[in-house]
Amino acid sequence: MPARFHADLHCHSTFSDGTLTPAQLAQRARTAGVTLWALTDHDELAGIPAAQQAAAAQGLDFLAGVEISVSFAQACVHIVGLGVDPEHPALQQGLADLRNSRGPRAQEMGRQLEAVGIPNAYEGALRYVGNPALISRTHFARHLVETGVCKDIPEVFKHYLADGKPGHVPQRWASLQEAVGWITQAQGVAVMAHPARYGFTANEEHALFSSFCACGGQAVEVVTGSHAPHEYATYAALARELGLAASRGSDFHSPQESKIDLGGLPADLPGLQPVWDLLQDRIVRARRPEAPGLPRPRWATNSTGLTTDWAQLR
């Protein structure tokens, strides 16, 4: 029978727009009682080796993950990939193309903010970026809060970075078919991230999930830091209706900014198939693989720097 976990399968490190390193996240997860953890940086896999090493040191089971930006219905939707092979060429190339598009967008955001009286916003945002290829609206927001333009990040988005505001620059991200394809080709499971956050109409959400399932999507985040408690039940019912597995993740970015701390989610809702049931052979175990029922992940012998000495993972 598949193992049960206290899982947090959605968070971000300094390799994208988080403020903690993978090692700090792993320690925080362990302190919160997490037993299965995934790092899911935006459009980036570079933090996976450090995250896996830190998970082993903290005694956490681990899944390699990523969160991919997708354009759908004139909005940006996020698809989480869990259990992916970090070396898969299609996934690597697709993410590289997305990262390469962020720089010109950020520079245009800086020009637009300067036009409304906020100079040097691009340079200021770069101060908060661990990986310049992944500069995002969050980095601009942190700069505008630090310099006193706004009191907090939600206010920045409301007045400057949301659709129709002076610092908003539309971006063409991956298609839903591309993102789900990259994940499934890399032997992972595609998860619809925090669906309540997009504010879609009922028809738009139906189209989103119909397309997601048709492309090979297999799971949806039900319990997440972006959902209110009544939305847990809404998406639990949708998961049952569509035959999707349920995922859970805090979407943790920063101790100062995130609504839910890493590992701070409430208990799972009953009657749902957990996504890790689909990922038993993708989990990097914190215990020796020769124990009964603990298979070695298929990508454990690649050359990314991921630990393959199972004696070090005890």
Side-chain angles (χ1 to χ4, degrees):
M1 177 178 294
R4 303 300 298 179
F5 295 98
H6 178 195
D8 196 318
L9 304 179
H10 187 165
C11 71
H12 301 275
S13 77
T14 49
F15 282 88
S16 63
D17 59 347
T19 63
L20 301 183
T21 66
Q24 290 170 323
L25 289 172
Q27 184 175 31
R28 196 176 191 92
R30 181 61 173 176
T31 299
V34 171
T35 57
L36 175 62
W37 173 55
L39 179 67
T40 56
D41 278 321
H42 290 287
D43 306 322
E44 179 61 270
L45 298 163
I48 296 299
Q52 181 183 318
Q53 184 177 21
Q58 295 293 333
L60 300 174
D61 289 346
F62 179 73
L63 282 166
V66 66
E67 185 173 20
I68 302 179
S69 306
V70 165
S71 292
F72 187 88
Q74 299 182 324
C76 181
V77 168
H78 291 159
I79 304 298
V80 165
L82 295 175
V84 295
D85 175 357
E87 277 206 335
H88 193 278
L91 178 61
Q92 287 188 334
Q93 186 60 57
L95 297 180
D97 291 343
L98 291 178
R99 293 194 298 271
N100 290 339
S101 69
R102 286 179 178 266
R105 177 201 189 208
Q107 292 173 23
E108 178 60 23
M109 289 170 63
R111 286 190 287 268
Q112 292 193 14
L113 290 170
E114 185 164 8
V116 296
I118 305 175
N120 303 316
Y122 174 71
E123 292 77 11
L126 283 174
R127 294 176 47 240
Y128 296 88
V129 177
N131 182 352
L134 284 169
I135 187 169
S136 71
R137 293 186 299 171
T138 301
H139 300 117
F140 280 87
R142 288 172 182 156
H143 170 68
L144 267 60
V145 171
E146 180 66 24
T147 55
V149 175
C150 295
K151 66 179 180 180
D152 56 29
I153 285 180
E155 183 178 317
V156 176
F157 276 83
K158 179 180 179 180
H159 293 295
Y160 293 103
L161 300 181
D163 188 14
K165 300 303 179 181
H168 177 75
V169 178
Q171 177 78 11
R172 172 66 174 88
W173 301 113
S175 70
L176 189 59
Q177 184 174 14
E178 286 172 330
V180 175
W182 297 336
I183 292 166
T184 55
Q185 289 173 55
Q187 303 172 25
V189 168
V191 181
M192 179 64 65
H194 41 60
R197 201 174 88 178
Y198 307 125
F200 284 153
T201 66
N203 285 340
E204 288 170 336
E205 184 170 87
H206 176 76
L208 173 65
F209 274 94
S210 295
S211 298
F212 176 69
C213 293
C215 291
Q218 294 179 269
V220 56
E221 284 185 350
V222 173
V223 179
T224 165
S226 296
H227 286 179
H230 72 275
E231 290 164 336
Y232 301 160
T234 297
Y235 290 99
L238 185 65
R240 295 186 189 103
E241 176 187 348
L242 298 179
L244 295 172
S247 191
R248 54 183 281 120
S250 58
D251 196 9
F252 179 81
H253 286 72
S254 167
Q256 290 76 39
E257 299 167 6
S258 297
K259 295 179 182 178
I260 299 291
D261 203 348
L262 190 66
L265 292 169
D268 290 314
L269 296 176
L272 299 174
Q273 181 187 28
V275 69
W276 52 83
D277 279 4
L278 310 179
L279 290 161
Q280 290 298 304
D281 64 342
R282 309 300 292 163
I283 297 171
V284 180
R285 307 284 178 169
R287 300 173 294 279
R288 294 179 62 87
E290 57 266 25
L294 300 182
R296 178 188 292 261
R298 291 190 293 271
W299 48 268
T301 57
N302 66 38
S303 59
T304 61
L306 296 169
T307 300
T308 57
D309 182 355
W310 290 97
Q312 298 175 13
L313 294 179
R314 286 181 293 179

